[in-house]
Amino acid sequence: MKILVLGAAGKMGKAVSWYLGKDPSVSQVGLLDAQEQALKAMAAEADKFVVHAVSIDDRARLEEAMKGYDAGVIVLPNRRLSYAAIEAAIEARLNVVDILEEYHRRPDSYEIEGLVIPPGMTLQEYGESLHQRAVKNDVLILDGMGFAPGLSNLTTERGISLLDKTRIAIARVGGIPNAEAAPRHPLRYMTTWSIEHVLREYNVKTFMIKDGKIVEVPALVDMETFEFNEFGRRAELECAVTPGMPSFVYTHPELEYFAEKTVRWPGHYSGIRTLIETGMLSTEPVETKWGKIPPREFLLGVLNPKLMPLPEDKDACVMYNTIVGEKDGKEARVEYFMWDEAQGGFTAMQRVTGFPAAIGGKILAAKKVAITGVRAPEECITGENYQAMLDELALSNIYIKEKVSW
């Protein structure tokens, strides 16, 4: 099979490309990015790597590069580029995985990051048009297939499928410094991918299900603390609602309560709320003696260097999901646990985001998903595909534990 990686020179792109490059079932890995020198350096590592020095904004060359591939994996850093790549994939009739925390069929209305909406369409009409055009062209967009969204969706869906009726589903997921690194950074946090996206998630509204209704809420509501005690790891953690699984309210509107919550070390959200209250996460420019400056841009300039990993630092990615309902007339509960740390030259975030995306690309290339359109992970990676995903992740020492009680 031949798979194209769009955004190959970035952190996640390198993880996806490496994973596919070592797989004997993948005969060719296309490395597509505007950073030609970085791609050439990567291509020197394996004969199966093919360089495509193409900008996502060059639509004609992008569609041409997609020809001859069985599937693609989109690992681009913002909504504008992600939507542009999906547009091209639909026209080129290439099945693709996208890792962004976005359900492209129901686009997020906040901080659109330069996303270009066709004239005469609302944002929601545009999202639905992508789905319909993908169906018409017999294309599958596996949307949000990384960690969260991604593994969080798959496990929550799996838990729901085990019960006769589900009332409550809560996915708690997040990337944090490991216990040794956390005290060395402000907010007990460390940047492993994009701090811009993290601050955006803290500042926008999102959807959850409460009392059986889909409601829009500010991020960081319904905060809770919990103890993680699996895989020989014991930690007190906190979590709060964020927009990390945007498809789930649409694929499971029958739930009484659903929330996706981002996991952090205790005290993190107290610091973030102070920043929000002081206006530091606002994107609206304010007058200063240096001219007008968006507070968030100023904050990023000051904060990001202090959040960058030190040479001795490692990150961890944590998941604790609970699904509650009924089985055979009895109260039932299904739980999922994961704790992964950096290893093999990759951060934990690269591993649990990039590796599932790469596996998703292989599943698409092998045509193991029958549906088309813009589809969520919980619609595509079920049954045999779900088990194949877990089995392959285990080969990279990424383990997900399932506990069932009824």
Side-chain angles (χ1 to χ4, degrees), residues 296-357:
R296 192 187 304 176
E297 291 301 313
F298 177 80
L299 177 64
L300 284 167
V302 174
L303 187 59
N304 200 35
K306 298 180 183 297
L307 298 181
M308 297 304 294
L310 300 172
E312 66 272 27
D313 288 342
K314 289 186 177 182
D315 69 321
C317 286
V318 184
M319 178 168 68
Y320 168 47
N321 298 347
T322 53
I323 299 91
V324 179
E326 297 177 7
K327 180 71 174 181
D328 299 329
K330 299 178 181 178
E331 182 79 4
R333 182 184 183 93
V334 186
E335 298 173 297
Y336 293 91
F337 304 88
M338 186 193 78
W339 185 293
D340 189 66
E341 293 203 5
Q343 59 179 280
F346 292 104
T347 66
M349 187 60 75
Q350 284 177 301
R351 286 166 48 80
V352 304
T353 303
F355 294 2

Side-chain angles (χ1 to χ4, degrees), residues 199-254:
L199 295 185
R200 178 190 178 275
E201 284 195 347
Y202 291 163
N203 204 50
V204 299
K205 293 182 179 179
T206 188
F207 290 100
M208 62 183 298
I209 300 177
K210 274 192 171 185
D211 300 322
K213 298 178 181 179
I214 299 175
V215 294
E216 188 176 48
V217 297
L220 310 189
V221 300
D222 286 14
M223 195 181 94
E224 60 175 314
T225 59
F226 68 95
E227 181 183 71
F228 187 98
N229 191 14
E230 296 289 341
F231 306 111
R233 305 283 182 176
R234 187 167 187 168
E236 295 291 335
L237 299 165
E238 65 183 26
C239 59
V241 169
T242 54
M245 284 170 63
S247 63
F248 224 78
V249 298
Y250 301 105
T251 56
H252 283 287
E254 79 282 0

Side-chain angles (χ1 to χ4, degrees), residues 242-404:
T242 54
M245 284 170 63
S247 63
F248 224 78
V249 298
Y250 301 105
T251 56
H252 283 287
E254 79 282 0
L255 295 173
E256 292 178 16
Y257 183 93
F258 165 75
E260 186 272 353
K261 300 184 178 186
T262 294
V263 174
R264 297 288 185 252
W265 287 109
H268 177 87
Y269 285 121
S270 175
I272 292 298
R273 285 196 174 87
T274 298
L275 292 173
I276 292 173
E277 290 168 4
T278 57
M280 289 304 298
L281 296 195
S282 173
T283 57
E284 291 297 319
V286 297
E287 193 69 56
T288 74
K289 66 179 182 180
W290 302 284
K292 286 191 173 183
I293 302 174
R296 192 187 304 176
E297 291 301 313
F298 177 80
L299 177 64
L300 284 167
V302 174
L303 187 59
N304 200 35
K306 298 180 183 297
L307 298 181
M308 297 304 294
L310 300 172
E312 66 272 27
D313 288 342
K314 289 186 177 182
D315 69 321
C317 286
V318 184
M319 178 168 68
Y320 168 47
N321 298 347
T322 53
I323 299 91
V324 179
E326 297 177 7
K327 180 71 174 181
D328 299 329
K330 299 178 181 178
E331 182 79 4
R333 182 184 183 93
V334 186
E335 298 173 297
Y336 293 91
F337 304 88
M338 186 193 78
W339 185 293
D340 189 66
E341 293 203 5
Q343 59 179 280
F346 292 104
T347 66
M349 187 60 75
Q350 284 177 301
R351 286 166 48 80
V352 304
T353 303
F355 294 2
I359 298 168
K362 293 200 307 175
I363 289 172
L364 265 56
K367 301 188 184 304
K368 293 184 178 179
V369 182
I371 56 178
T372 59
V374 177
R375 300 291 185 173
E378 62 267 26
E379 297 178 287
C380 301
I381 311 298
T382 59
E384 292 183 1
N385 287 337
Y386 174 81
Q387 193 57 52
M389 174 71 73
L390 265 60
D391 290 346
E392 193 160 330
L393 288 174
L395 297 177
S396 295
N397 300 319
I398 299 172
Y399 301 104
I400 295 174
K401 184 175 183 178
E402 177 184 271
K403 280 187 175 181
V404 177

Side-chain angles (χ1 to χ4, degrees), residues 26 31 51 54 56 59 157 167 189 214 219 297 326 391 401:
V26 180
L31 307 177
V51 170
V54 176
I56 298 298
R59 180 67 173 269
E157 176 69 26
R167 300 192 312 275
Y189 186 72
I214 299 175
E297 291 301 313
E326 297 177 7
D391 290 346
K401 184 175 183 178

